[in-house]
Amino acid sequence: MEEKKQLQLPEVILRISRCVQQWYPLILLLVISSTAQAFDYGDALTKSLLYFESQRSGRLPYNQRVTWRHHSGLTDGLEQGVDLVGGYYDAGDHVKFGLPMAFTVTMLSWSAIEYGEQIAAAGEYEHALEAIKWGTDYFIKAHTHPNVLWAEVGDGDTDHYCWQRPEDMTTSRRAHQIDENNPGSDLAGETAAAMAAASIVFRKSNPHYSHLLLHHAQQLFEFGDKYRGKYDSSVGVAKSYYPSVSGYKDELLWAAVWLYKATDKVDYLKYVINKAHCFGGIGWAMTEFSWDVKYAGVQILASKLLMEGNHKEHTHILEQYRSKAEHYLCGCLNKSNDDNVERSPAGLLYVRQWNNMQYVSTAAFLLTVYSDYLHNSNQKLHCQRGEVEAQELIGLTKAQMEYILGSNPIGMSYLVGFGSKYPRRVHHRGSSVVSYREHKGFIGCTQGYDNWYGRLEPNPNVLVGALVGGPDCQDNFKDQRGNYMQTEACTYNTAPLVGVLAKLHQLESQNLFCSSSPCLVYSS
Ligand SMILES: *[C@@H]1O[C@H](CO)[C@@H](O)[C@H](O)[C@H]1NC(C)=O
């Protein structure tokens, strides 16, 4: 039913659009919104924020809403004499990996900075702040000295040997640090970016906290810049799980651009400008944005500085940043001559087999913010295959979100707990074992594998709001617990969705007010 409808309607409207060429982008939008089933983006937003409560490590607060979880990891750091209780479990295991955790918090904060109003209008602002603060409180603890940052608690090898609830954990909780002799400029840079971005979020509601975050961010940036090195050379246990393939130069630029946004101090801007060339900021043209590779994010933030027009003396460099940002966006839009992002037959952006959704989610976010920047500055995106209007960028975001939420060949929502059909066997220890609330008896390391991991039944606890790795390049998906490439979710998959869903929720609410005339995403 749905699919037939999708084939017919656009054809009709595209035929009409030939008569009114100048309205094409607007009509395209109409096509996008009229052919798809309606999704409740507000509900999806609420769920996406709930997910972060499932991933909490440490002592859970009185207002914890995900009640199948309980306190865990209460001795994290004890062996090393440091309090590292708190923070987030990364995915389906219980390692606290610093680099992806920091990227998660940066993206949650960026979401709140760009779409704070929209998040608030959906009634979710407090939850968004809580999700950010759960991460930044931990980073404050982990940054014990100007030049010491605790990089990881636990390790993948021993953790993955066990299938246990976090409440029962018996695996090593050894903590690993970076310092002057064991540098980690990528980790220090990303954590600085997260804390600088969060300091902007808390500026009004909690100025003292905001100031504290900024102080840590500035120290971390200085540490990362002064003692150069890749963190995975210093923290060996991170190497087979979160290796810094792109190195640390992208994170140092990323940290500097966030610190500039947070402080307005020209030294940070100068860093972004002066190091643009030698750090690859204006050299690397990328088609992915991820916990490892930040170039596209830097380039898009630099483009915004250019569009705001306050930095005339740096126009030359900022324009080169923008050209690379455009390369990323045009690739997503399939508007480059080469180097376009692949798509599945049903249209999902496809970067790679393992946890592909992380790239869809970050692309959706960057397309959304850039669409707003273009709209606000009354500009267009210049791609090799033509000019693109702001509306077309948000149109692609919407199409990707519709796919994620269930408008795809198998009718599966890849956001867990959303709609009626979603992955039931998410590769996640806590979700797949009986809740600690219902069964307090200890479940051992291999007992979890024997009794819970291999079961065919759905997980007993629904990991609401998790965005799983998603389908393969042919839109196929196997809902099996052992299929971790597709059924595992990570905190950095959902984080960018917070901003995207808030924006789409706002647009959807506005559309309610225009029943007869074309409903435009951007009403003037
Ligand atoms: C991308 O653009 C090319 C050239 O216009 C076209 O042949 C191809 O079908 C497009 N791919 C998608 C997924 O839209």
Side-chain angles (χ1 to χ4, degrees):
M1 283 283 279
E2 216 74 58
E3 279 170 42
K4 262 191 198 155
K5 215 170 123 197
Q6 288 183 352
L7 287 177
Q8 288 165 356
L9 251 177
E11 234 175 74
V12 173
I13 294 168
L14 284 175
R15 225 171 280 148
I16 300 167
S17 79
R18 260 175 231 136
C19 318
V20 276
Q21 285 286 337
Q22 72 274 31
W23 286 89
Y24 178 75
L26 306 182
I27 288 164
L28 183 79
L29 250 191
L30 181 67
V31 172
I32 289 162
S33 50
S34 59
T35 56
Q37 63 197 86
F39 290 106
D40 185 344
Y41 294 110
D43 182 41
L45 174 62
T46 299
K47 287 175 169 158
S48 71
L49 285 162
L50 265 176
Y51 168 60
F52 293 93
E53 296 195 14
S54 311
Q55 296 301 114
R56 282 173 172 174
S57 180
R59 185 166 289 283
L60 303 184
Y62 71 95
N63 60 354
Q64 166 84 12
R65 293 174 297 161
V66 175
T67 52
W68 51 267
R69 282 294 326 282
H70 203 63
H71 310 317
S72 64
L74 297 180
T75 58
D76 282 5
L78 193 65
E79 264 179 76
Q80 278 72 40
V82 52
D83 173 8
L84 294 174
V85 175
Y88 286 114
Y89 300 124
D90 170 60
D93 55 12
H94 304 136
V95 185
K96 297 197 291 201
F97 289 108
L99 185 61
M101 199 198 300
F103 180 64
T104 298
V105 172
T106 310
M107 294 311 293
L108 281 171
S109 300
W110 196 359
S111 289
I113 292 166
E114 298 280 349
Y115 302 111
E117 253 174 59
Q118 290 85 344
I119 296 170
E124 291 294 335
Y125 197 63
E126 281 307 311
H127 294 139
L129 293 190
E130 284 170 15
I132 294 166
K133 195 162 181 291
W134 197 265
T136 48
D137 283 351
Y138 174 78
F139 298 145
I140 290 170
K141 286 181 168 186
H143 186 212
T144 48
H145 175 275
N147 297 343
V148 175
L149 176 65
W150 291 87
E152 178 173 328
V153 179
D155 68 273
D157 290 353
T158 50
D159 192 282
H160 291 190
Y161 176 71
C162 290
W163 194 265
Q164 268 179 310
R165 302 177 294 196
E167 293 82 5
D168 288 329
M169 246 190 309
T170 52
T171 47
S172 161
R173 299 304 287 168
R174 185 161 170 208
H176 307 265
Q177 70 179 67
I178 54 169
D179 54 38
E180 293 167 16
N181 300 317
N182 307 282
S185 307
D186 29 27
L187 178 67
E190 184 62 61
T191 312
M195 294 176 106
S199 82
I200 299 173
V201 175
F202 287 105
R203 199 180 277 158
K204 274 212 187 102
S205 61
N206 194 343
H208 172 74
Y209 191 67
S210 166
H211 190 260
L212 180 65
L213 291 174
L214 195 52
H215 182 66
H216 280 281
Q218 289 175 302
Q219 278 189 341
L220 279 167
F221 175 68
E222 211 170 296
F223 164 48
D225 187 41
K226 191 164 174 197
Y227 301 94
R228 299 270 181 89
K230 269 156 54 103
Y231 92 111
D232 57 2
S233 304
S234 300
V235 181
V237 289
K239 199 157 188 113
S240 10
Y241 297 90
Y242 285 102
S244 181
V245 177
S246 74
Y248 55 75
K249 291 173 182 164
D250 51 339
E251 277 88 5
L252 287 177
L253 291 172
W254 178 236
V257 77
W258 276 112
L259 278 162
Y260 177 63
K261 275 177 79 78
T263 61
D264 249 339
K265 284 195 178 135
V266 72
D267 282 353
Y268 294 119
L269 178 62
K270 279 190 185 152
Y271 191 98
V272 176
I273 299 296
N274 295 342
K275 300 217 184 305
H277 179 68
C278 58
F279 274 17
I282 56 177
W284 279 104
M286 312 295 298
T287 50
E288 76 167 77
F289 176 51
S290 69
W291 59 265
D292 181 23
V293 193
K294 317 293 152 59
Y295 285 114
V298 174
Q299 290 155 354
I300 278 170
L301 287 174
S303 308
K304 191 185 184 199
L305 298 178
L306 182 70
M307 289 174 182
E308 288 164 350
N310 299 329
H311 306 282
K312 295 268 188 278
E313 71 277 26
H314 302 306
T315 301
H316 180 61
I317 296 288
L318 290 176
E319 267 175 357
Q320 294 180 60
Y321 270 116
R322 179 165 70 178
S323 146
K324 296 299 193 253
E326 291 183 342
H327 179 96
Y328 174 86
L329 297 160
C330 296
C332 292
L333 288 153
N334 192 33
K335 293 276 183 170
S336 293
N337 283 339
D338 44 46
D339 211 16
N340 288 304
V341 178
E342 273 178 48
R343 298 200 194 176
S344 71
L348 184 69
L349 293 170
Y350 189 81
V351 174
R352 61 178 65 91
Q353 191 182 18
W354 194 338
N355 190 13
N356 181 61
M357 278 306 187
Q358 65 177 310
Y359 309 108
V360 181
S361 147
T362 52
F365 184 87
L366 294 185
L367 285 160
T368 304
V369 296
Y370 208 80
S371 165
D372 281 339
Y373 300 164
L374 287 174
H375 175 72
N376 294 337
S377 60
N378 200 21
Q379 294 183 37
K380 287 177 189 169
L381 171 63
H382 308 280
C383 297
Q384 286 164 330
R385 287 201 209 142
E387 285 193 338
V388 184
E389 305 254 3
Q391 281 91 338
E392 213 172 318
L393 277 75
I394 190 82
L396 178 57
T397 295
K398 194 161 185 281
Q400 296 299 308
M401 287 313 301
E402 284 168 353
Y403 186 111
I404 287 178
L405 295 178
S407 192
N408 55 59
I410 56 174
M412 172 76 76
S413 161
Y414 293 100
L415 192 75
V416 178
F418 184 87
S420 55
K421 187 177 175 190
Y422 51 82
R424 304 281 168 167
R425 293 165 196 84
V426 179
H427 181 92
H428 187 279
R429 286 163 177 70
S431 162
S432 66
V433 180
V434 63
S435 164
Y436 181 81
R437 296 242 165 189
E438 285 166 34
H439 175 91
K440 292 208 165 49
F442 175 75
I443 296 174
C445 173
T446 54
Q447 198 184 350
Y449 273 114
D450 295 343
N451 300 347
W452 296 96
Y453 179 76
R455 285 178 356 131
L456 293 177
E457 288 87 352
N459 288 357
N461 313 303
V462 180
L463 191 65
V464 173
L467 176 61
V468 298
D472 66 14
C473 61
Q474 292 295 320
D475 301 298
N476 298 314
F477 178 79
K478 282 206 184 77
D479 184 12
Q480 296 166 354
R481 214 167 281 119
N483 181 16
Y484 50 80
M485 287 194 190
Q486 297 190 330
T487 63
E488 188 167 19
C490 301
T491 56
Y492 47 87
N493 292 18
T494 295
L497 294 191
V498 170
V500 172
L501 291 168
K503 177 73 189 183
L504 292 180
H505 176 250
Q506 177 200 32
L507 297 174
E508 193 181 47
S509 322
Q510 286 174 351
N511 284 354
L512 290 176
F513 297 114
C514 48
S515 47
S516 55
S517 58
C519 297
L520 310 178
V521 164
Y522 291 112
S523 46
S524 39

